[in-house]
Amino acid sequence: MDNLKNFRRTNYCGELRLSDAGKTVSLCGWVQRQRDLGGLIFVDLRDRTGLVQLSFDDSTAKDIFEKASTLRSEYVVAATGLVRERESKTNKIATGDIEVYVSELRLLAKAETPPFEIVENSKANDMLRLKYRYLDLRRPDMQHAIATRHKVTKVARDYFDEQGFLEIETPMLTKSTPEGARDYLVPSRVHPGKFYALPQSPQQYKQLLMLSGFDRYFQIARCFRDEDLRADRQPEFTQIDLEMSFVDEEDVMTVNEGFMAHVFKEVLGVGIPTPFLRMPYDEAMERFGSDKPDTRFGMELCDLSDLLGGCEFKVFKGALEAGGSVRALNVKGAADHLSRKEIDKLVDFVKAYRAKGLAYTRLTADAETSSYEKFLTDAEKEAIRGRLGAEKGDVLLIVADGNNQTVFDSLGALRVELANRLGLIPEGKFNFLWVTDFPLFEYSEEEGRYVAKHHPFTHPAFEDLDKLESDPGACHARAYDMVLNGCEVGGGSIRINTPELQERMFEALGFSEESARAKFGYLIDAFKYGAPPHGGMAYGLDRLVMLMLGKSSIRDVMAFPKVQNASELMTQCPAEVDEKSLRELSIAVTAREEAE
Protein backbone atom coordinates (compact mmCIF):
# COMPACT_ATOMS: atom_id res chain seq x y z
CA MET A 1 0.00 0.00 0.00
CA ASP A 2 1.08 3.57 -0.66
CA ASN A 3 1.05 6.35 1.94
CA LEU A 4 0.34 10.07 1.99
CA LYS A 5 3.87 11.27 2.69
CA ASN A 6 4.48 14.53 0.79
CA PHE A 7 0.89 14.46 -0.54
CA ARG A 8 -1.58 17.24 0.29
CA ARG A 9 -5.17 17.29 -0.87
CA THR A 10 -5.99 20.56 -2.65
CA ASN A 11 -9.66 20.06 -3.50
CA TYR A 12 -12.74 17.96 -2.79
CA CYS A 13 -14.09 15.87 -5.65
CA GLY A 14 -17.51 17.47 -5.95
CA GLU A 15 -16.36 21.09 -6.01
CA LEU A 16 -14.47 21.07 -9.34
CA ARG A 17 -16.07 22.89 -12.29
CA LEU A 18 -15.20 23.86 -15.87
CA SER A 19 -13.71 27.09 -14.53
CA ASP A 20 -11.02 24.91 -12.89
CA ALA A 21 -9.80 23.55 -16.27
CA GLY A 22 -6.03 23.84 -16.56
CA LYS A 23 -5.42 23.51 -12.81
CA THR A 24 -3.43 20.69 -11.25
CA VAL A 25 -5.35 19.26 -8.30
CA SER A 26 -4.83 16.56 -5.67
CA LEU A 27 -7.84 14.52 -4.56
CA CYS A 28 -8.59 11.75 -2.05
CA GLY A 29 -11.57 9.42 -1.81
CA TRP A 30 -13.20 6.08 -2.52
CA VAL A 31 -13.59 4.41 -5.90
CA GLN A 32 -17.25 4.39 -6.87
CA ARG A 33 -16.56 2.33 -9.98
CA GLN A 34 -13.82 1.60 -12.50
CA ARG A 35 -14.33 1.17 -16.25
CA ASP A 36 -11.46 -0.46 -18.17
CA LEU A 37 -11.87 0.05 -21.92
CA GLY A 38 -8.50 -1.40 -22.87
CA GLY A 39 -6.31 1.56 -23.68
CA LEU A 40 -8.57 3.85 -21.67
CA ILE A 41 -9.57 3.65 -17.97
CA PHE A 42 -12.11 5.81 -16.20
CA VAL A 43 -12.49 5.87 -12.41
CA ASP A 44 -15.33 7.64 -10.60
CA LEU A 45 -13.83 8.97 -7.36
CA ARG A 46 -16.18 9.80 -4.48
CA ASP A 47 -15.84 11.84 -1.32
CA ARG A 48 -18.44 13.54 0.85
CA THR A 49 -18.92 16.35 -1.70
CA GLY A 50 -19.69 14.18 -4.72
CA LEU A 51 -18.08 12.39 -7.68
CA VAL A 52 -15.44 13.30 -10.21
CA GLN A 53 -14.10 11.26 -13.13
CA LEU A 54 -10.41 10.31 -13.17
CA SER A 55 -8.99 9.56 -16.62
CA PHE A 56 -6.07 7.34 -17.69
CA ASP A 57 -4.99 6.60 -21.31
CA ASP A 58 -2.09 5.23 -23.34
CA SER A 59 -0.02 8.35 -22.63
CA THR A 60 -0.31 7.79 -18.87
CA ALA A 61 2.84 6.46 -17.19
CA LYS A 62 2.83 2.65 -17.41
CA ASP A 63 3.03 2.02 -13.64
CA ILE A 64 0.14 4.41 -12.98
CA PHE A 65 -1.99 2.87 -15.74
CA GLU A 66 -1.34 -0.63 -14.38
CA LYS A 67 -2.24 0.50 -10.86
CA ALA A 68 -5.47 2.07 -12.17
CA SER A 69 -6.36 -1.24 -13.82
CA THR A 70 -6.33 -2.94 -10.38
CA LEU A 71 -8.77 -0.51 -8.73
CA ARG A 72 -12.10 -1.87 -7.51
CA SER A 73 -15.17 -0.36 -5.81
CA GLU A 74 -14.46 1.16 -2.38
CA TYR A 75 -10.68 1.11 -2.75
CA VAL A 76 -9.24 4.21 -1.08
CA VAL A 77 -6.98 6.28 -3.34
CA ALA A 78 -5.22 9.61 -3.70
CA ALA A 79 -4.63 11.16 -7.11
CA THR A 80 -2.98 14.20 -8.62
CA GLY A 81 -3.78 15.39 -12.12
CA LEU A 82 -4.83 18.09 -14.57
CA VAL A 83 -8.44 19.28 -14.71
CA ARG A 84 -9.66 19.27 -18.30
CA GLU A 85 -12.93 19.51 -20.21
CA ARG A 86 -14.64 16.18 -20.81
CA GLU A 87 -15.33 15.00 -24.33
CA SER A 88 -18.54 13.27 -23.26
CA LYS A 89 -20.25 15.55 -20.76
CA THR A 90 -23.06 14.50 -18.42
CA ASN A 91 -25.61 16.40 -16.36
CA LYS A 92 -26.04 13.50 -13.93
CA ILE A 93 -23.28 14.78 -11.63
CA ALA A 94 -22.22 18.32 -10.73
CA THR A 95 -18.71 17.74 -12.13
CA GLY A 96 -20.03 16.36 -15.41
CA ASP A 97 -18.27 18.96 -17.56
CA ILE A 98 -14.73 18.01 -16.49
CA GLU A 99 -12.40 15.15 -15.66
CA VAL A 100 -8.99 14.85 -13.98
CA TYR A 101 -6.22 13.43 -16.15
CA VAL A 102 -4.11 11.59 -13.57
CA SER A 103 -0.33 11.97 -13.32
CA GLU A 104 0.10 10.46 -9.85
CA LEU A 105 -1.96 7.69 -8.21
CA ARG A 106 -1.61 6.24 -4.73
CA LEU A 107 -3.50 3.18 -3.50
CA LEU A 108 -4.09 3.80 0.22
CA ALA A 109 -6.30 0.82 1.12
CA LYS A 110 -7.99 -2.10 -0.60
CA ALA A 111 -11.57 -3.11 0.15
CA GLU A 112 -13.60 -6.29 0.07
CA THR A 113 -16.85 -6.27 -1.89
CA PRO A 114 -19.33 -4.46 0.40
CA PRO A 115 -22.56 -6.26 1.43
CA PHE A 116 -24.60 -3.67 -0.50
CA GLU A 117 -23.88 -1.12 -3.19
CA ILE A 118 -22.81 2.32 -1.98
CA VAL A 119 -25.36 4.35 -3.94
CA GLU A 120 -28.00 6.96 -3.25
CA ASN A 121 -31.47 5.70 -2.24
CA SER A 122 -30.19 2.19 -1.53
CA LYS A 123 -32.76 -0.60 -1.67
CA ALA A 124 -30.75 -2.69 0.79
CA ASN A 125 -32.52 -4.06 3.85
CA ASP A 126 -32.58 -1.57 6.74
CA MET A 127 -31.14 -4.06 9.21
CA LEU A 128 -28.24 -4.84 6.87
CA ARG A 129 -27.53 -1.15 6.40
CA LEU A 130 -27.53 -0.59 10.18
CA LYS A 131 -25.24 -3.56 10.80
CA TYR A 132 -22.73 -1.99 8.40
CA ARG A 133 -23.60 1.57 9.29
CA TYR A 134 -20.08 2.85 8.52
CA LEU A 135 -20.67 1.75 4.92
CA ASP A 136 -24.22 3.08 4.83
CA LEU A 137 -22.90 6.47 5.91
CA ARG A 138 -20.74 6.62 2.76
CA ARG A 139 -23.88 6.89 0.62
CA PRO A 140 -24.46 10.42 -0.77
CA ASP A 141 -27.98 10.83 0.65
CA MET A 142 -26.81 9.83 4.14
CA GLN A 143 -23.85 12.19 3.94
CA HIS A 144 -26.15 14.99 2.80
CA ALA A 145 -28.46 14.36 5.76
CA ILE A 146 -25.62 14.41 8.30
CA ALA A 147 -24.13 17.53 6.69
CA THR A 148 -27.55 19.22 6.85
CA ARG A 149 -27.83 18.33 10.52
CA HIS A 150 -24.45 19.99 11.10
CA LYS A 151 -25.59 23.12 9.27
CA VAL A 152 -28.81 23.33 11.31
CA THR A 153 -26.83 23.21 14.57
CA LYS A 154 -24.41 25.86 13.30
CA VAL A 155 -27.27 28.15 12.25
CA ALA A 156 -28.90 27.56 15.66
CA ARG A 157 -25.74 28.55 17.51
CA ASP A 158 -25.28 31.68 15.40
CA TYR A 159 -28.93 32.74 15.68
CA PHE A 160 -29.27 32.31 19.42
CA ASP A 161 -25.89 33.97 19.99
CA GLU A 162 -27.14 36.99 18.03
CA GLN A 163 -30.28 36.98 20.21
CA GLY A 164 -28.20 37.24 23.40
CA PHE A 165 -28.26 33.59 24.49
CA LEU A 166 -25.28 31.92 26.19
CA GLU A 167 -24.47 28.28 25.44
CA ILE A 168 -24.06 26.53 28.80
CA GLU A 169 -23.56 22.80 29.34
CA THR A 170 -25.60 21.00 31.99
CA PRO A 171 -24.70 17.67 33.66
CA MET A 172 -25.09 14.28 32.00
CA LEU A 173 -25.12 12.47 35.36
CA THR A 174 -28.22 13.69 37.20
CA LYS A 175 -30.79 12.68 39.80
CA SER A 176 -33.58 10.30 38.87
CA THR A 177 -36.98 12.01 38.93
CA PRO A 178 -39.59 9.43 37.93
CA GLU A 179 -42.10 11.78 36.33
CA GLY A 180 -42.62 11.13 32.62
CA ALA A 181 -40.63 8.52 30.71
CA ARG A 182 -38.38 5.98 32.41
CA ASP A 183 -34.84 7.05 33.23
CA TYR A 184 -31.67 5.33 32.10
CA LEU A 185 -29.83 4.64 35.36
CA VAL A 186 -26.06 4.66 35.89
CA PRO A 187 -24.67 2.87 38.98
CA SER A 188 -22.17 4.72 41.13
CA ARG A 189 -18.98 2.84 42.07
CA VAL A 190 -18.08 5.24 44.90
CA HIS A 191 -21.64 5.36 46.29
CA PRO A 192 -22.67 1.66 46.39
CA GLY A 193 -26.37 1.08 45.86
CA LYS A 194 -26.95 4.58 44.52
CA PHE A 195 -27.56 5.62 40.92
CA TYR A 196 -27.26 8.57 38.63
CA ALA A 197 -29.82 9.08 35.86
CA LEU A 198 -29.02 10.18 32.34
CA PRO A 199 -31.01 13.38 31.61
CA GLN A 200 -34.37 13.14 29.85
CA SER A 201 -33.90 16.87 29.31
CA PRO A 202 -31.97 19.70 30.98
CA GLN A 203 -35.27 21.04 32.35
CA GLN A 204 -34.47 21.66 36.01
CA TYR A 205 -30.89 22.77 35.40
CA LYS A 206 -31.92 25.36 32.85
CA GLN A 207 -34.54 26.71 35.27
CA LEU A 208 -31.84 26.96 37.92
CA LEU A 209 -29.69 28.87 35.41
CA MET A 210 -32.49 31.43 35.15
CA LEU A 211 -32.41 31.76 38.95
CA SER A 212 -28.65 32.21 38.60
CA GLY A 213 -29.14 35.36 36.54
CA PHE A 214 -27.95 34.15 33.14
CA ASP A 215 -31.18 35.44 31.57
CA ARG A 216 -30.91 33.61 28.23
CA TYR A 217 -29.52 30.07 27.91
CA PHE A 218 -29.33 27.53 25.10
CA GLN A 219 -27.64 24.20 24.55
CA ILE A 220 -27.33 21.50 21.92
CA ALA A 221 -28.22 18.87 24.51
CA ARG A 222 -28.02 15.08 24.45
CA CYS A 223 -31.05 13.49 26.13
CA PHE A 224 -32.04 9.93 27.06
CA ARG A 225 -35.44 8.31 27.56
CA ASP A 226 -36.11 4.65 28.17
CA GLU A 227 -39.30 4.42 26.13
CA ASP A 228 -40.70 2.44 23.23
CA LEU A 229 -39.28 3.47 19.88
CA ARG A 230 -41.21 4.86 16.90
CA ALA A 231 -40.15 6.32 13.57
CA ASP A 232 -39.58 9.72 15.20
CA ARG A 233 -38.16 8.51 18.54
CA GLN A 234 -34.84 7.11 19.73
CA PRO A 235 -33.58 6.26 23.25
CA GLU A 236 -30.86 8.90 22.87
CA PHE A 237 -31.47 12.06 20.92
CA THR A 238 -30.47 15.71 20.64
CA GLN A 239 -32.42 18.80 21.63
CA ILE A 240 -31.93 22.43 20.77
CA ASP A 241 -32.76 23.58 24.27
CA LEU A 242 -33.36 27.15 25.45
CA GLU A 243 -34.72 29.19 28.35
CA MET A 244 -35.44 32.91 28.82
CA SER A 245 -36.09 35.14 31.84
CA PHE A 246 -38.55 38.03 32.24
CA VAL A 247 -40.78 36.77 29.43
CA ASP A 248 -44.29 35.59 28.70
CA GLU A 249 -45.57 33.22 26.02
CA GLU A 250 -45.50 35.85 23.29
CA ASP A 251 -41.80 36.60 23.84
CA VAL A 252 -40.80 32.95 23.60
CA MET A 253 -42.92 32.35 20.52
CA THR A 254 -41.55 35.39 18.71
CA VAL A 255 -37.90 34.41 19.24
CA ASN A 256 -38.59 30.85 18.09
CA GLU A 257 -40.61 31.84 15.04
CA GLY A 258 -37.61 33.92 14.07
CA PHE A 259 -35.33 30.92 14.50
CA MET A 260 -37.50 28.71 12.28
CA ALA A 261 -37.70 31.33 9.55
CA HIS A 262 -33.92 31.82 9.76
CA VAL A 263 -32.93 28.14 9.72
CA PHE A 264 -35.20 27.27 6.79
CA LYS A 265 -33.89 30.21 4.78
CA GLU A 266 -30.23 29.51 5.56
CA VAL A 267 -30.31 25.72 5.14
CA LEU A 268 -33.02 25.12 2.51
CA GLY A 269 -33.47 28.52 0.91
CA VAL A 270 -37.17 28.34 1.84
CA GLY A 271 -39.11 31.36 3.10
CA ILE A 272 -41.32 30.69 6.12
CA PRO A 273 -43.99 33.35 6.80
CA THR A 274 -44.41 34.61 10.35
CA PRO A 275 -46.20 34.91 12.70
CA PHE A 276 -47.42 31.32 12.79
CA LEU A 277 -51.06 30.34 13.09
CA ARG A 278 -52.18 29.88 16.74
CA MET A 279 -54.69 27.16 17.56
CA PRO A 280 -56.02 26.23 21.03
CA TYR A 281 -55.70 22.57 22.00
CA ASP A 282 -59.48 22.05 22.15
CA GLU A 283 -59.92 23.43 18.62
CA ALA A 284 -57.12 21.21 17.29
CA MET A 285 -58.76 18.11 18.76
CA GLU A 286 -62.24 19.05 17.53
CA ARG A 287 -61.11 19.81 13.98
CA PHE A 288 -58.27 17.34 13.46
CA GLY A 289 -58.45 14.77 16.26
CA SER A 290 -54.84 15.57 17.15
CA ASP A 291 -52.83 18.03 19.21
CA LYS A 292 -50.30 18.10 16.36
CA PRO A 293 -52.54 18.63 13.34
CA ASP A 294 -51.32 18.42 9.76
CA THR A 295 -52.91 21.45 8.11
CA ARG A 296 -51.54 20.82 4.61
CA PHE A 297 -54.86 19.23 3.64
CA GLY A 298 -58.52 19.43 4.69
CA MET A 299 -60.75 16.48 5.59
CA GLU A 300 -61.55 17.81 9.07
CA LEU A 301 -63.53 15.93 11.70
CA CYS A 302 -67.23 16.68 12.00
CA ASP A 303 -69.21 16.25 15.25
CA LEU A 304 -72.58 14.59 14.65
CA SER A 305 -73.52 14.08 18.30
CA ASP A 306 -76.18 16.81 18.50
CA LEU A 307 -77.98 15.34 15.48
CA LEU A 308 -78.37 11.95 17.14
CA GLY A 309 -79.77 12.76 20.56
CA GLY A 310 -82.83 10.58 20.02
CA CYS A 311 -81.15 7.98 17.84
CA GLU A 312 -82.07 4.34 18.54
CA PHE A 313 -79.08 2.81 16.73
CA LYS A 314 -77.36 1.16 19.69
CA VAL A 315 -73.79 1.95 18.59
CA PHE A 316 -74.45 5.68 18.41
CA LYS A 317 -76.88 5.71 21.32
CA GLY A 318 -74.53 3.82 23.62
CA ALA A 319 -71.62 6.14 22.88
CA LEU A 320 -73.68 9.25 23.63
CA GLU A 321 -75.22 7.83 26.81
CA ALA A 322 -71.71 7.03 28.08
CA GLY A 323 -70.75 10.67 27.67
CA GLY A 324 -68.81 10.20 24.42
CA SER A 325 -69.47 11.39 20.90
CA VAL A 326 -70.17 10.43 17.30
CA ARG A 327 -67.83 12.04 14.79
CA ALA A 328 -67.11 11.60 11.10
CA LEU A 329 -64.85 12.24 8.13
CA ASN A 330 -66.07 12.93 4.61
CA VAL A 331 -63.43 11.56 2.25
CA LYS A 332 -64.36 13.61 -0.79
CA GLY A 333 -64.33 11.84 -4.15
CA ALA A 334 -62.88 8.63 -2.68
CA ALA A 335 -65.67 6.17 -3.52
CA ASP A 336 -63.79 4.81 -6.54
CA HIS A 337 -60.60 4.44 -4.47
CA LEU A 338 -62.05 2.93 -1.30
CA SER A 339 -63.76 -0.37 -2.07
CA ARG A 340 -65.69 -2.32 0.51
CA LYS A 341 -62.59 -4.48 0.98
CA GLU A 342 -60.44 -1.41 1.59
CA ILE A 343 -62.95 -0.03 4.07
CA ASP A 344 -62.86 -3.34 5.97
CA LYS A 345 -59.08 -2.88 6.33
CA LEU A 346 -59.72 0.60 7.72
CA VAL A 347 -61.88 -0.99 10.42
CA ASP A 348 -58.83 -2.90 11.61
CA PHE A 349 -56.79 0.32 11.41
CA VAL A 350 -59.04 2.26 13.81
CA LYS A 351 -59.28 -0.71 16.19
CA ALA A 352 -55.54 -0.24 16.82
CA TYR A 353 -56.57 3.10 18.38
CA ARG A 354 -59.14 1.40 20.68
CA ALA A 355 -62.15 2.19 18.47
CA LYS A 356 -64.70 -0.63 18.45
CA GLY A 357 -65.48 -0.22 14.78
CA LEU A 358 -65.96 2.08 11.80
CA ALA A 359 -69.36 2.88 10.29
CA TYR A 360 -69.41 3.91 6.63
CA THR A 361 -71.53 5.19 3.77
CA ARG A 362 -70.15 4.82 0.24
CA LEU A 363 -71.75 6.99 -2.41
CA THR A 364 -70.67 5.78 -5.85
CA ALA A 365 -72.14 7.12 -9.07
CA ASP A 366 -74.16 3.92 -9.50
CA ALA A 367 -75.13 2.88 -5.98
CA GLU A 368 -75.17 3.73 -2.30
CA THR A 369 -74.02 1.29 0.38
CA SER A 370 -73.95 1.89 4.10
CA SER A 371 -73.27 -0.14 7.23
CA TYR A 372 -75.50 1.97 9.49
CA GLU A 373 -78.07 4.09 7.61
CA LYS A 374 -80.70 1.33 7.69
CA PHE A 375 -80.79 1.75 11.50
CA LEU A 376 -81.51 5.49 11.28
CA THR A 377 -84.61 7.48 10.48
CA ASP A 378 -84.71 9.30 7.15
CA ALA A 379 -84.36 12.59 9.03
CA GLU A 380 -81.25 11.40 10.87
CA LYS A 381 -79.70 10.08 7.66
CA GLU A 382 -80.32 13.32 5.78
CA ALA A 383 -79.08 15.42 8.72
CA ILE A 384 -75.76 13.54 8.76
CA ARG A 385 -75.32 13.81 4.99
CA GLY A 386 -76.24 17.47 5.07
CA ARG A 387 -73.75 18.38 7.79
CA LEU A 388 -71.00 16.44 6.03
CA GLY A 389 -71.82 17.99 2.65
CA ALA A 390 -72.09 14.51 1.16
CA GLU A 391 -72.15 14.17 -2.63
CA LYS A 392 -71.85 11.39 -5.19
CA GLY A 393 -68.35 9.96 -5.07
CA ASP A 394 -67.83 10.59 -1.33
CA VAL A 395 -67.15 8.11 1.45
CA LEU A 396 -68.45 8.94 4.94
CA LEU A 397 -66.60 7.29 7.84
CA ILE A 398 -67.93 7.45 11.41
CA VAL A 399 -66.51 6.49 14.80
CA ALA A 400 -68.68 6.41 17.93
CA ASP A 401 -67.35 5.75 21.41
CA GLY A 402 -68.08 6.54 25.02
CA ASN A 403 -64.56 7.93 25.38
CA ASN A 404 -63.99 11.09 23.36
CA GLN A 405 -60.23 10.55 23.34
CA THR A 406 -60.75 7.25 21.51
CA VAL A 407 -62.85 9.01 18.88
CA PHE A 408 -60.23 11.73 18.42
CA ASP A 409 -57.28 9.33 18.32
CA SER A 410 -58.83 6.93 15.83
CA LEU A 411 -60.29 9.51 13.44
CA GLY A 412 -57.22 11.76 13.72
CA ALA A 413 -54.94 8.88 12.73
CA LEU A 414 -57.37 7.71 10.03
CA ARG A 415 -57.43 11.20 8.52
CA VAL A 416 -53.65 11.18 8.04
CA GLU A 417 -53.61 7.57 6.82
CA LEU A 418 -56.20 8.32 4.13
CA ALA A 419 -54.43 11.51 3.07
CA ASN A 420 -51.23 9.51 2.53
CA ARG A 421 -53.01 6.73 0.66
CA LEU A 422 -54.94 9.10 -1.59
CA GLY A 423 -52.04 11.46 -2.30
CA LEU A 424 -53.69 14.48 -0.69
CA ILE A 425 -50.54 15.84 0.99
CA PRO A 426 -48.60 18.33 -1.17
CA GLU A 427 -44.84 17.80 -1.35
CA GLY A 428 -42.38 20.51 -0.44
CA LYS A 429 -44.86 22.41 1.72
CA PHE A 430 -44.07 23.44 5.30
CA ASN A 431 -47.09 24.33 7.46
CA PHE A 432 -46.24 25.66 10.91
CA LEU A 433 -48.60 26.43 13.75
CA TRP A 434 -48.61 26.82 17.51
CA VAL A 435 -50.95 24.66 19.57
CA THR A 436 -51.72 26.47 22.82
CA ASP A 437 -53.91 26.23 25.94
CA PHE A 438 -53.13 22.59 26.67
CA PRO A 439 -54.69 20.79 29.62
CA LEU A 440 -52.37 21.07 32.61
CA PHE A 441 -53.05 17.47 33.65
CA GLU A 442 -54.22 14.22 32.14
CA TYR A 443 -55.66 11.33 34.10
CA SER A 444 -53.61 8.14 34.15
CA GLU A 445 -55.77 5.03 34.47
CA GLU A 446 -52.62 3.01 35.10
CA GLU A 447 -51.52 5.13 38.06
CA GLY A 448 -55.00 6.10 39.21
CA ARG A 449 -54.12 9.80 39.48
CA TYR A 450 -53.57 12.94 37.47
CA VAL A 451 -50.16 13.32 35.84
CA ALA A 452 -48.63 16.39 34.22
CA LYS A 453 -49.50 16.76 30.53
CA HIS A 454 -46.07 18.29 29.89
CA HIS A 455 -44.07 18.30 33.14
CA PRO A 456 -44.70 19.36 36.77
CA PHE A 457 -42.89 22.70 36.38
CA THR A 458 -45.39 24.17 33.90
CA HIS A 459 -47.24 27.26 35.09
CA PRO A 460 -51.05 26.92 35.21
CA ALA A 461 -53.18 29.45 33.37
CA PHE A 462 -53.82 32.39 35.70
CA GLU A 463 -57.58 31.97 35.44
CA ASP A 464 -57.33 28.34 36.56
CA LEU A 465 -55.18 28.78 39.67
CA ASP A 466 -58.17 28.39 42.00
CA LYS A 467 -59.04 25.02 40.38
CA LEU A 468 -55.67 23.40 40.99
CA GLU A 469 -56.86 21.37 43.97
CA SER A 470 -60.63 21.34 43.43
CA ASP A 471 -60.86 20.55 39.70
CA PRO A 472 -57.43 19.68 38.23
CA GLY A 473 -58.96 18.21 35.07
CA ALA A 474 -60.30 21.65 34.13
CA CYS A 475 -56.95 23.44 34.47
CA HIS A 476 -55.09 24.71 31.43
CA ALA A 477 -51.35 25.20 31.05
CA ARG A 478 -49.29 28.13 29.87
CA ALA A 479 -47.79 25.69 27.38
CA TYR A 480 -47.25 25.80 23.63
CA ASP A 481 -46.15 23.27 21.04
CA MET A 482 -44.71 24.16 17.66
CA VAL A 483 -46.17 21.82 15.03
CA LEU A 484 -44.79 21.27 11.54
CA ASN A 485 -46.67 19.14 8.99
CA GLY A 486 -48.40 17.07 11.65
CA CYS A 487 -45.35 16.55 13.88
CA GLU A 488 -44.49 18.25 17.14
CA VAL A 489 -41.13 19.78 16.30
CA GLY A 490 -40.73 21.61 19.59
CA GLY A 491 -42.57 22.43 22.77
CA GLY A 492 -42.31 24.48 25.91
CA SER A 493 -44.06 26.51 28.54
CA ILE A 494 -43.87 29.34 31.00
CA ARG A 495 -42.54 27.84 34.25
CA ILE A 496 -43.62 28.06 37.85
CA ASN A 497 -41.35 30.48 39.73
CA THR A 498 -42.62 30.53 43.32
CA PRO A 499 -42.19 27.83 46.00
CA GLU A 500 -45.85 28.12 47.02
CA LEU A 501 -47.22 27.38 43.55
CA GLN A 502 -44.67 24.62 42.91
CA GLU A 503 -45.70 22.91 46.16
CA ARG A 504 -49.37 23.19 45.18
CA MET A 505 -48.52 21.62 41.82
CA PHE A 506 -46.78 18.67 43.45
CA GLU A 507 -49.74 18.23 45.80
CA ALA A 508 -52.16 18.20 42.85
CA LEU A 509 -50.00 15.47 41.27
CA GLY A 510 -50.38 13.31 44.38
CA PHE A 511 -46.94 13.91 45.90
CA SER A 512 -46.75 13.91 49.66
CA GLU A 513 -44.83 16.82 51.15
CA GLU A 514 -42.03 14.42 52.14
CA SER A 515 -41.88 12.89 48.65
CA ALA A 516 -41.80 16.29 46.95
CA ARG A 517 -39.02 17.46 49.25
CA ALA A 518 -36.99 14.29 48.66
CA LYS A 519 -37.24 14.54 44.87
CA PHE A 520 -37.32 18.29 44.23
CA GLY A 521 -36.40 20.02 47.49
CA TYR A 522 -33.45 21.82 45.91
CA LEU A 523 -35.73 23.41 43.29
CA ILE A 524 -38.34 24.50 45.83
CA ASP A 525 -35.59 25.99 48.01
CA ALA A 526 -34.08 27.79 45.02
CA PHE A 527 -37.41 29.52 44.34
CA LYS A 528 -37.20 31.09 47.82
CA TYR A 529 -34.26 33.24 46.73
CA GLY A 530 -35.90 35.25 43.99
CA ALA A 531 -36.83 33.48 40.76
CA PRO A 532 -37.63 35.62 37.72
CA PRO A 533 -40.62 34.77 35.53
CA HIS A 534 -39.14 32.46 32.93
CA GLY A 535 -40.03 30.10 30.13
CA GLY A 536 -38.53 28.30 27.20
CA MET A 537 -38.79 25.36 24.88
CA ALA A 538 -36.81 22.61 23.21
CA TYR A 539 -36.68 21.29 19.67
CA GLY A 540 -35.97 17.72 18.72
CA LEU A 541 -33.00 18.33 16.42
CA ASP A 542 -33.28 14.89 14.82
CA ARG A 543 -36.97 15.34 14.13
CA LEU A 544 -36.49 18.86 12.78
CA VAL A 545 -33.84 17.73 10.28
CA MET A 546 -35.99 14.72 9.33
CA LEU A 547 -38.90 17.02 8.47
CA MET A 548 -36.74 19.54 6.64
CA LEU A 549 -35.37 16.79 4.39
CA GLY A 550 -38.68 14.94 3.94
CA LYS A 551 -37.36 11.73 5.53
CA SER A 552 -39.70 9.15 7.05
CA SER A 553 -37.53 8.25 10.06
CA ILE A 554 -35.09 10.07 12.32
CA ARG A 555 -32.71 7.15 11.80
CA ASP A 556 -32.06 8.66 8.38
CA VAL A 557 -30.54 11.79 9.92
CA MET A 558 -28.58 10.20 12.80
CA ALA A 559 -25.11 8.75 12.37
CA PHE A 560 -25.49 5.71 14.64
CA PRO A 561 -29.14 5.11 15.60
CA LYS A 562 -30.73 2.28 17.56
CA VAL A 563 -33.36 -0.15 16.23
CA GLN A 564 -36.82 -0.97 17.55
CA ASN A 565 -35.63 -2.83 20.65
CA ALA A 566 -33.16 -0.02 21.54
CA SER A 567 -30.11 -2.04 20.47
CA GLU A 568 -27.38 -1.07 18.02
CA LEU A 569 -26.76 -3.73 15.39
CA MET A 570 -23.27 -2.58 14.46
CA THR A 571 -21.61 -2.82 17.90
CA GLN A 572 -24.14 -5.30 19.32
CA CYS A 573 -24.94 -3.14 22.34
CA PRO A 574 -26.29 -3.38 24.97
CA ALA A 575 -24.08 -6.29 26.00
CA GLU A 576 -23.25 -8.25 29.13
CA VAL A 577 -20.34 -7.11 31.29
CA ASP A 578 -17.94 -9.21 33.30
CA GLU A 579 -18.43 -10.19 36.94
CA LYS A 580 -15.52 -8.04 38.09
CA SER A 581 -17.19 -4.89 36.73
CA LEU A 582 -20.48 -5.81 38.38
CA ARG A 583 -18.81 -6.41 41.74
CA GLU A 584 -17.08 -3.03 41.59
CA LEU A 585 -20.51 -1.44 41.09
CA SER A 586 -22.13 -3.52 43.87
CA ILE A 587 -24.59 -4.95 41.36
CA ALA A 588 -25.96 -8.47 41.09
CA VAL A 589 -27.80 -9.49 37.93
CA THR A 590 -30.91 -11.60 38.36
CA ALA A 591 -31.99 -13.54 35.28
CA ARG A 592 -35.48 -12.55 34.20
CA GLU A 593 -37.76 -15.50 33.56
CA GLU A 594 -39.16 -15.63 30.07
CA ALA A 595 -42.90 -15.00 29.90
CA GLU A 596 -44.84 -18.17 29.31
Side-chain angles (χ1 to χ4, degrees), residues 385-398:
R385 290 192 180 191
R387 178 163 293 179
L388 289 170
E391 301 173 324
K392 291 291 185 182
D394 295 347
V395 176
L396 315 181
L397 300 172
I398 299 177

Side-chain angles (χ1 to χ4, degrees), residues 42-57:
F42 295 113
V43 173
D44 290 338
L45 188 66
R46 182 191 73 242
D47 63 19
R48 66 183 173 90
T49 65
L51 294 172
V52 69
Q53 179 173 281
L54 306 183
S55 175
F56 309 80
D57 60 23

Side-chain angles (χ1 to χ4, degrees), residues 40 316 438 446 454 541 574:
L40 191 62
F316 296 169
F438 280 86
E446 180 181 347
H454 284 78
L541 172 62

Side-chain angles (χ1 to χ4, degrees), residues 353-381:
Y353 294 87
R354 303 182 307 281
K356 298 178 181 67
L358 182 67
Y360 74 89
T361 294
R362 185 166 171 264
L363 304 172
T364 67
D366 303 321
E368 298 180 358
T369 55
S370 178
S371 64
Y372 65 90
E373 286 187 346
K374 62 184 177 182
F375 301 107
L376 306 182
T377 66
D378 288 343
E380 290 167 342
K381 182 181 77 171

Side-chain angles (χ1 to χ4, degrees), residues 33-38 40-44 53-54 86:
R33 65 171 179 159
Q34 183 250 44
R35 290 161 288 156
D36 192 335
L37 307 179
L40 191 62
I41 295 175
F42 295 113
V43 173
D44 290 338
Q53 179 173 281
L54 306 183
R86 280 175 67 159

Side-chain angles (χ1 to χ4, degrees), residues 31 33-44 52-72 84 99-102 105:
V31 174
R33 65 171 179 159
Q34 183 250 44
R35 290 161 288 156
D36 192 335
L37 307 179
L40 191 62
I41 295 175
F42 295 113
V43 173
D44 290 338
V52 69
Q53 179 173 281
L54 306 183
S55 175
F56 309 80
D57 60 23
D58 53 10
S59 63
T60 302
K62 183 178 180 182
D63 61 325
I64 294 176
F65 192 88
E66 288 177 351
K67 190 180 291 186
S69 70
T70 69
L71 298 182
R72 299 291 180 266
R84 65 186 188 185
E99 64 183 7
V100 176
Y101 180 64
V102 177
L105 178 66

